[in-house]
Amino acid sequence: MAEQVTIKIRSTISGYHYFHVRPHVDVPLLVEREENNKKDPKAMSVRMPVLSSIPSHLHNCVTREADKRHPTQTVSNIAGKQVGRVPANLCGTFRRILDGGEATLSW
């Protein structure tokens, strides 16, 4: 069995202004190829995992309070949704890691 290696990269998630999904800090996010992105063929999405893979004690945690334009968000109502995108300058590197096989990425 191969040794697991953790690489930490300090970066932001692009697109909060578009998706308006604020993730919970205790939920690891999924990084996936965004194959249907016509503007950027190397784009990668950052998503919340599905609810069944999130510990139940976090389901009702508020991730964003309501404001004039958006309702209150909880982990359960944003599970599975796209949070944003990997910044463009990292997408090529992340894709090479995934294409090498036996690697998963989380944010």
Side-chain angles (χ1 to χ4, degrees):
M1 180 179 225
E3 177 185 354
Q4 182 175 348
V5 177
T6 300
I7 300 170
K8 293 188 179 192
I9 299 172
R10 189 177 195 106
S11 182
T12 58
I13 297 171
S14 299
Y16 177 78
H17 63 283
Y18 180 79
F19 295 100
H20 301 285
V21 175
R22 180 170 293 156
H24 191 282
V25 296
D26 292 332
V27 177
L29 304 174
L30 306 173
V31 177
E32 304 168 335
R33 292 173 187 85
E34 194 174 338
E35 304 294 353
N36 60 350
N37 188 317
K38 294 176 183 166
K39 292 183 179 181
D40 183 1
K42 292 182 181 177
M44 300 194 74
S45 66
V46 180
R47 307 184 75 76
M48 285 284 294
V50 296
L51 192 60
S52 61
S53 66
I54 298 172
S56 60
H57 71 278
L58 296 175
H59 289 187
N60 293 321
C61 290
V62 173
T63 61
R64 187 182 71 202
E65 297 292 342
D67 59 28
K68 293 179 185 177
R69 301 175 75 194
H70 303 98
T72 299
Q73 279 184 3
T74 63
V75 169
S76 62
N77 61 26
I78 62 171
K81 292 189 178 182
Q82 186 167 351
V83 173
R85 292 187 173 93
V86 172
N89 62 332
L90 294 174
C91 287
T93 301
F94 281 18
R95 279 187 173 253
R96 283 191 296 279
I97 291 169
L98 288 176
D99 291 346
E102 300 195 28
T104 57
L105 296 172
S106 62
W107 203 273

